[in-house]
Amino acid sequence: MSHSRRPILQEPRNSFFDDTILSPGAVKINVQGAFIADQVACDRANLPEGGARHDTRDIRLPNHKAVVSHVALDIGGSLAKLVYFSREPDSNKLGGRLNFLNFETDRIDQCLHFVLQLKSKQQTLNGSRPGELCVVATGGGAYKYYDEMKKVLGVEVLREDEMECLIMGLDFFITEIPREVFTCTDPDPMHFEEPRTDIYPYLLVNIGSGVSMVRVSGPKQFERIGGTSLGGGTLWGLLSLLTGARTFDDMLAMADRGDNATVDMLVGDIYGTDYSKIGLKTSTIASSFGKVFKMKRQGESDAEDGSGFSNGDPRPAGGSSESDRAFAPEDISRSLLYAISNNIGQIAYLQSEKHTLEHIYFGGSFIRGHWQTMNTLSYAIKFWSKGEKKAYFLRHEGYLGSVGAFLKRQPRNWGRRNSFEE
């Protein structure tokens, strides 16, 4: 994650909690003094080239002493998210950390290869005996790749319900991890919320390839109340067709440089000013991609007349007409990002109103800590609620399911507390 999209923050070293969290499988994880670490503990030399993206925001568990003998995978349509525990590089140091990696699902073989490395290299460090490593998997890929995982890894693979894991992971972050949950607005890009226990009910908007919206009333009380097929996969797919970007991060970087006003029809384009009577600014998008047809038609006419060039053609020497920039990939990227984010934000607000939910949490790998995305979602919630509601984000937004799977249960035939031995 580039620094321009997610600020690097100095994490507190003092304890926010004096207790431990007890997960439903009776597996104790000591979160006393937990904090988000800036330093990278992952051995980058062991990452498959081009296959993995290491999230530097490991969660430090300075007081956890017990053995950890499983890893967790959340395999979605676009990304496979891996969570595993490791001791500190200096084994004399107390505690360890949760590590976060993601792989493109199309490269699941590289993900499994990395888990094999963990199996052989991390077991001794973690105190596990050979053969005890277990993979806890969730998401659609937990079923699609089940046989392949068992064959390649040669370990037990437990499959857990995707929605239950999402809720468990989110609950853990909200209640236990300092400087995890934050709001995002123009004057205050990262305003952190303190961990709290009175969290129900709330709305989870999980944005992956598609979008699921879940009303959560308790630890195991939840209902999928809606969603939309226009999610991260839509942005990824359309921008793959419309631009030269090859990765999602490339697309976000292009959106950072783009100007959606060359593509979108704004309120100011229609009225020549704002429409303050109904609360619309000059820069408010009236129609996503609304200028394209008109400008494309004008560009084609200019090209036929020999005075300009159409989409994708080389710019003439010294040319500077407006139509030359009409279809710049950067502009397309920002416009489409705004369109999808605004749509998700508005639907999320409507669902929160329908089900009387005050807190709206956004999770999923679509967000990627990208400021424009978060700001757009925040603006949509604030605009439609007339400032009464906020959008809440997480620094580990893409790992709710994998963290939930990590916490959820231990392998069969183990003692009820042997996953984290005391």
Side-chain angles (χ1 to χ4, degrees), residues 398-415:
Y399 295 93
L400 305 185
S402 48
V403 167
F406 187 88
L407 298 172
K408 194 167 191 332
R409 56 180 285 194
Q410 66 273 35
R412 291 187 299 272
N413 303 322
W414 285 15

Side-chain angles (χ1 to χ4, degrees), residues 218-243:
K220 289 190 175 183
Q221 299 174 355
F222 58 86
E223 176 188 6
R224 187 182 187 274
I225 55 177
T228 172
S229 62
L230 304 181
T234 310
L235 183 69
W236 197 338
L238 289 177
L239 291 185
S240 295
L241 294 173
L242 298 172
T243 73

Side-chain angles (χ1 to χ4, degrees), residues 15-271:
S15 171
F16 275 54
F17 300 97
D18 296 319
D19 301 318
T20 58
I21 179 173
L22 186 63
S23 73
V27 176
K28 280 190 174 181
I29 300 174
N30 191 332
V31 297
Q32 179 182 358
F35 61 89
I36 301 174
D38 287 331
Q39 287 187 333
V40 180
C42 179
D43 184 359
R44 291 179 182 273
N46 291 327
L47 295 182
E49 183 177 353
R53 180 172 173 274
H54 179 234
D55 197 316
T56 59
R57 300 178 313 283
D58 301 333
I59 292 181
R60 181 84 166 84
L61 302 174
N63 294 296
H64 184 80
K65 304 175 183 178
V67 174
V68 182
S69 301
H70 65 269
V71 300
L73 271 171
D74 177 10
I75 310 175
S78 302
L79 293 174
K81 287 78 67 178
L82 172 67
V83 172
Y84 65 96
F85 178 85
S86 67
R87 295 295 183 192
E88 290 302 310
D90 178 3
S91 58
N92 294 325
K93 220 179 213 181
L94 181 64
R97 61 180 70 206
L98 292 180
N99 301 270
F100 303 87
L101 285 175
N102 66 56
F103 298 76
E104 291 184 13
T105 302
D106 289 343
R107 299 181 178 185
I108 191 66
D109 56 325
Q110 293 183 332
C111 176
L112 299 182
H113 177 71
F114 185 81
V115 176
L116 274 176
Q117 289 180 320
L118 291 179
K119 179 182 177 182
S120 61
K121 295 182 180 181
Q122 296 289 339
Q123 280 180 328
T124 301
L125 184 61
N126 284 350
S128 305
R129 294 183 294 276
E132 280 192 345
L133 182 71
C134 171
V135 174
V136 186
T138 189
Y143 297 88
K144 183 176 181 180
Y145 299 105
Y146 177 74
D147 292 335
E148 183 177 351
M149 284 190 286
K150 291 195 68 174
K151 179 180 178 182
V152 172
L153 300 177
V155 299
E156 185 174 17
V157 178
L158 299 177
R159 291 175 290 190
E160 296 291 349
D161 180 76
E162 180 177 5
M163 209 60 70
E164 286 187 11
C165 290
L166 282 172
I167 302 308
M168 185 172 294
L170 179 54
D171 285 358
F172 172 74
F173 284 127
I174 296 173
T175 60
E176 300 295 339
I177 304 301
R179 298 174 71 81
E180 173 69 43
V181 178
F182 63 95
T183 56
C184 179
T185 57
D186 276 322
D188 191 1
M190 257 182 143
H191 176 76
F192 289 102
E193 300 289 318
E194 291 188 8
R196 59 193 186 87
T197 55
D198 56 331
I199 62 176
Y200 306 114
Y202 65 76
L203 175 65
L204 166 61
V205 182
N206 193 58
I207 314 175
S209 300
V211 184
S212 286
M213 299 186 184
V214 186
R215 184 186 195 277
V216 183
S217 305
K220 289 190 175 183
Q221 299 174 355
F222 58 86
E223 176 188 6
R224 187 182 187 274
I225 55 177
T228 172
S229 62
L230 304 181
T234 310
L235 183 69
W236 197 338
L238 289 177
L239 291 185
S240 295
L241 294 173
L242 298 172
T243 73
R246 297 179 182 269
T247 70
F248 197 46
D249 286 326
D250 288 342
M251 297 171 189
L252 295 179
M254 286 198 303
D256 284 340
R257 302 189 299 270
D259 179 8
N260 70 300
T262 66
V263 176
D264 296 337
M265 184 176 293
L266 309 180
V267 169
D269 296 320
I270 299 173
Y271 290 93

Side-chain angles (χ1 to χ4, degrees), residues 220-374:
K220 289 190 175 183
Q221 299 174 355
F222 58 86
E223 176 188 6
R224 187 182 187 274
I225 55 177
T228 172
S229 62
L230 304 181
T234 310
L235 183 69
W236 197 338
L238 289 177
L239 291 185
S240 295
L241 294 173
L242 298 172
T243 73
R246 297 179 182 269
T247 70
F248 197 46
D249 286 326
D250 288 342
M251 297 171 189
L252 295 179
M254 286 198 303
D256 284 340
R257 302 189 299 270
D259 179 8
N260 70 300
T262 66
V263 176
D264 296 337
M265 184 176 293
L266 309 180
V267 169
D269 296 320
I270 299 173
Y271 290 93
T273 182
D274 60 18
Y275 194 167
S276 57
K277 188 173 182 179
I278 58 174
L280 299 178
K281 300 178 181 178
T282 303
S283 59
T284 300
I285 299 171
S287 175
S288 297
F289 286 82
K291 287 181 181 175
V292 170
F293 177 74
K294 179 180 178 181
M295 297 185 75
K296 184 174 186 296
R297 185 174 57 183
Q298 180 62 46
E300 290 170 346
S301 297
D302 290 344
E304 291 171 357
D305 296 339
S307 59
F309 287 76
S310 59
N311 180 30
D313 292 330
R315 180 185 298 227
S320 60
S321 71
E322 278 295 311
S323 60
D324 292 338
R325 292 195 72 247
F327 305 107
E330 293 83 0
D331 302 345
I332 292 172
S333 298
R334 178 169 284 202
S335 174
L336 193 59
L337 177 70
Y338 281 170
I340 290 176
S341 299
N342 275 317
N343 182 61
I344 294 171
Q346 183 175 8
I347 296 174
Y349 162 73
L350 293 173
Q351 291 288 6
S352 73
E353 283 292 285
K354 179 180 178 181
H355 295 273
T356 320
L357 300 170
E358 180 181 354
H359 289 85
I360 306 172
Y361 293 93
F362 288 90
S365 299
F366 169 77
I367 299 172
R368 299 285 185 100
H370 188 248
W371 189 85
Q372 283 184 1
T373 305
M374 294 186 293

